[in-house]
Amino acid sequence: MNNLQFIRPASVQAACEALKNPGFMPVAGGSDLVVKIRNGLYPNLEGIVDIGDLAPLNLIRTDENRVIIGSGCTMNQIINDRLMQDYFPALVKAAATVGALQIRNSATIGGNVANASPAGDTIPALYSLEARVLITNGSSTRKVPIDEFFLSPGKTLIQAGEIIEGFTLLLRKTRGEFLKLGERRAHAISKINMAVSTWNDGRNHWRIAMGSVAPTVLRCREAEEFLESCAQIDEAAINKAAEMAINTAKPISDLRSTSAYRKRMAGVLLKRSVTAIIK
Ligand SMILES: Cc1cc2nc3c(=O)[nH]c(=O)nc-3n(C[C@H](O)[C@H](O)[C@H](O)COP(=O)(O)OP(=O)(O)OC[C@H]3O[C@@H](n4cnc5c(N)ncnc54)[C@H](O)[C@@H]3O)c2cc1C
């Protein structure tokens, strides 16, 4: 770590310029990257570009019918934001489960998504809210639906010279839930997590996304469509949707859990989430 160059750019443009060098990586909160560098995961890394103090990335703002969450917003910023609480509870609840208080003070939403971990907790919530990812190269920005952003674990559409600028969400009031199962109540990587968001714009919409059950987050489209078709969501309907979630999950067995447990828990989390929302 001693020989790394450290760049603190004055603007997003300058950060992207420095990141054209493939030997450099951006750092936001550092809660993940610093640990990985210390553990020797990036032996060829030449330097890091600190984007944590770039003001335009650290804001939550509205623009007509959209909300733009800067990539540098921390978990605690999201948790404590009134608009986020009122409109996007699934994301607020997801942010509230990341690490513990100190981690949530530094961990950013951009870092959580850029990591592209199948267990990243804000990712299913962003899927359930149909977020778009804003990717900038410093002079122009492209907008990508979140479900097209991830290629495989740890791999995204981001190229050298680009960073995540933020995320856009349609400004609509949703109800939502986020649940995760880990080894412990805090400081635990999810064995499985699930976000559910629902809204009504004349008809009911349901969005359900789960993590840690496939290489990238999965939408439970069959269960979504089924719930949308129900005149009333009762216990039988919830049980049927839970079966659909179990069939959608394609988990593996690894150090943290078995495939069979994760599959069963997909049904349990769906039941708990939908029940909590319709209460
Ligand atoms: C003790 C501990 C507990 C944790 N618990 C959880 C948990 O419960 N749930 C969970 O999901 N995660 C957890 N994490 C992982 C980590 O804290 C989160 O993923 C966090 O949100 C990462 O954000 P950061 O700003 O700290 O990222 P950083 O460490 O700064 O960066 C992480 C990665 O993202 C890249 N990056 C950062 N910002 C951008 C950007 N704007 N554009 C492009 N690339 C970018 C970096 O280059 C790096 O590869 C935990 C970590 C620790 C150490």
Side-chain angles (χ1 to χ4, degrees), residues 25-36 42 51 57 71-72 75 94 97-100 103 106-115 117 119-122 158 162-166 180 186-190 193:
M25 289 178 82
V27 65
S31 65
D32 194 80
L33 187 65
V34 173
V35 177
K36 285 184 178 158
Y42 298 110
I51 58 172
L57 303 181
S71 62
M75 299 301 159
T97 71
V98 172
I103 292 285
S106 58
T108 65
I109 186 167
N112 197 244
V113 171
N115 258 337
S117 159
D121 285 318
T122 64
I158 295 187
E162 291 184 324
I163 59 167
I164 302 176
E165 188 177 358
K180 80 182 196 185
H187 271 312
I189 300 173
S190 293
N193 57 20

Side-chain angles (χ1 to χ4, degrees), residues 166-244:
F167 305 89
T168 64
L169 305 178
L170 276 182
L171 189 56
R172 59 188 167 204
K173 273 206 171 191
T174 63
R175 287 180 294 151
E177 189 57 272
F178 174 86
L179 294 173
K180 80 182 196 185
L181 294 174
E183 205 57 43
R184 298 171 299 274
R185 289 214 168 162
H187 271 312
I189 300 173
S190 293
K191 293 177 177 190
I192 172 171
N193 57 20
M194 181 179 286
V196 180
S197 293
T198 179
W199 63 92
N200 183 294
D201 56 10
R203 69 184 190 88
N204 288 328
H205 298 269
W206 286 87
R207 295 291 178 269
I208 303 164
M210 6 180 215
S212 276
V213 291
T216 57
V217 165
L218 284 183
R219 280 265 301 276
C220 302
R221 291 180 195 272
E222 194 189 6
E224 292 173 359
E225 284 166 22
F226 171 70
L227 290 173
E228 287 171 359
S229 73
C230 292
Q232 204 188 341
I233 296 177
D234 55 15
E235 199 181 338
I238 294 174
N239 286 339
K240 193 165 172 188
E243 279 305 313
M244 292 170 176

